[in-house]
Amino acid sequence: MDINNHEPVQLLVDGFGRQITYLRISLTDRCNLRCVYCMPEDGVQLLSHSEMLSYEEILKFVNVLADYGVNKIRITGGEPLVRKGVVNFIEKLNNIAGIKDIAMTTNGILLDKYAHDLYNAGLKRINISLDSLDNKIFGKLTRGGNLDSVLKGIDTAKAIGFEPIKINTVLMRGNNDKELMNFINFAIKNELNLRFIEYMPIGQNINQTITSKELIDKIKMEYKDFKPKKIDACSVSKEYYFSSQKNNKAVIGFISPLSEHFCNDCNRLRITASGKLRLCLFYDEEYDIKEILNSGASDEDIYKYLLNILQKKHQAHLFNNRNNKNETNNLQNSNIATDGNIYMNKIGG
Ligand code: SAM
Ligand code: SF4
């Protein structure tokens, strides 16, 4: 059987006509780093083993969703590579009919160790988070991380043939924003696909957010040949390249969830490590899926349960008003989920 040639039984469509085809799975809330923008210094109250969705539960959930049109999965966390059995899990995920695309977001610390096995298990696309190219700053931002391990992980992934490898970078004002040009030169030298993600003040304050536009303007001042690529309607990232022959392999992407949200085309759902469905990164509402998965409900009943929840998906988060001249002030006036207890490691980024 060709597992990619799999026709959905029915589709998951929300109240605004958007079809869900993409699931982001937070595999664990645990992490071997404590990035300043993601987790508090002394960690968070971690889930016990029994509170977490088991691999069997996740696989069952994906199996159901694949029958209803979901074809793309991203594994994230916490740090997905700290969860035992992750390679085996990826292999099983890769065998689910209808799942065409599996990607992972990792901090890269354990990538050198696992890259071969992950690749052989069927993972081909990987995003590696890297917020500083300076040992000291990296250590500070990650509260103890080792930059060399991540760089080694990137090299190993390249050598093995992961394609594409994307580097995710969050620049924060007054923190690591001075490294903008270092990152650009790093991407050019290593022919990388580097994406700047706007800092999202989940549970924190907005003052350090730098909009994509501000970064693009700065890069253009240094590189006159910095040009937008053709817009890919499916991509959440706006991509640029260097049009001169010498520098033309690096791709620089900008993900602007705050200043230019992509809610109109939102095709995604998220599940947290504890089995809570989140309809949007920016709203705190969560819906339990663990109970229904273990209730003996039929796939169709699970579908109906999800379809019902899906009708509550918001049209957009209320962060955006591009007509306002002062973008950062505008962001400050908006209403993001910031109850002080939600951290990105729980939701999965
Ligand atoms: N541990 C993995 C990693 O760091 O790549 C996966 C989980 S992490 C929560 C997923 C992504 O979310 C990372 O690229 C990280 O940089 C990003 N992230 C975390 N907190 C963020 C924030 N407040 N604003 C923007 N991006 C954030
Ligand atoms: Fe861990 Fe990733 Fe959060 Fe950093 S961003 S603390 S690596 S989950």
Side-chain angles (χ1 to χ4, degrees), residues 77-327:
E79 172 49 36
L81 296 182
V82 302
R83 182 154 176 188
K84 273 199 192 122
V86 59
V87 172
N88 197 257
F89 167 71
I90 297 284
E91 196 170 347
K92 289 187 174 147
L93 204 57
N94 200 33
N95 285 328
I96 294 179
I99 299 302
K100 296 179 183 153
D101 182 303
I102 304 173
M104 177 182 280
T105 306
T106 169
N107 62 29
I109 295 283
L110 294 172
L111 192 55
D112 180 53
K113 179 172 173 194
Y114 285 115
H116 263 108
D117 291 345
L118 288 169
Y119 193 82
N120 291 337
L123 185 75
K124 301 289 179 273
R125 301 202 311 114
I126 199 146
N127 289 25
I128 303 161
S129 305
L130 178 62
D131 298 325
S132 177
L133 293 165
D134 175 289
N135 272 314
K136 266 200 186 149
I137 299 177
F138 184 87
K140 229 172 115 187
L141 287 177
T142 57
R143 301 198 183 97
N146 178 285
L147 175 62
D148 287 341
S149 315
V150 182
L151 297 178
K152 198 165 171 203
I154 296 174
D155 285 345
T156 306
K158 270 182 94 175
I160 290 172
F162 278 90
E163 174 62 36
I165 298 172
K166 294 182 180 172
I167 306 298
N168 287 355
T169 299
V170 179
L171 292 181
M172 289 163 286
R173 201 180 301 285
N175 222 327
N176 56 348
D177 53 334
K178 288 198 178 62
E179 291 192 62
L180 172 62
M181 287 306 156
N182 292 352
F183 270 106
I184 294 296
N185 294 331
F186 176 73
I188 291 173
K189 185 167 162 228
N190 296 288
E191 303 182 344
L192 290 170
N193 186 326
L194 168 71
R195 291 131 43 99
F196 292 108
I197 306 175
E198 282 176 351
Y199 166 57
M200 295 177 266
I202 302 280
Q204 301 168 54
N205 82 43
I206 189 84
N207 298 332
Q208 290 179 299
T209 296
I210 307 174
T211 62
S212 298
K213 183 177 177 312
E214 187 176 333
L215 295 179
I216 292 168
D217 288 347
K218 279 192 177 142
I219 301 168
K220 276 184 180 163
M221 286 191 9
E222 292 280 327
Y223 286 95
K224 302 296 173 219
D225 65 337
F226 191 56
K227 299 269 159 41
K229 288 180 78 168
K230 266 201 195 133
I231 292 172
D232 171 358
C234 300
S235 175
V236 297
S237 148
K238 240 192 218 164
E239 295 193 327
Y240 281 67
Y241 74 117
F242 301 92
S243 59
S244 80
Q245 280 300 314
K246 210 169 104 226
N247 294 334
N248 73 358
K249 289 240 171 74
V251 175
I252 312 295
F254 297 87
I255 304 186
S256 319
L258 302 193
S259 66
E260 285 184 77
H261 67 68
F262 26 82
C263 307
N264 286 344
D265 302 316
C266 186
N267 60 349
R268 56 186 65 185
L269 289 179
R270 296 181 151 77
I271 49 168
T272 67
S274 62
K276 302 287 186 294
L277 190 75
R278 283 186 78 110
L279 302 173
C280 174
L281 185 61
F282 295 101
Y283 287 93
D284 292 342
E285 294 118 4
E286 294 186 333
Y287 304 88
D288 185 63
I289 55 161
K290 205 173 167 71
E291 196 178 324
I292 190 152
L293 284 174
N294 293 305
S295 68
S298 67
D299 289 2
E300 194 173 350
D301 283 344
I302 297 175
Y303 166 69
K304 284 183 186 152
Y305 175 76
L306 293 175
L307 196 61
N308 190 27
I309 293 172
L310 201 51
Q311 304 319 304
K312 298 177 188 154
K313 191 166 162 73
H314 294 267
Q315 185 171 21
H317 70 68
L318 301 175
F319 239 61
N320 191 26
N321 177 354
R322 269 178 279 172
N323 297 327
N324 189 322
K325 285 192 190 116
N326 186 337
E327 292 184 36

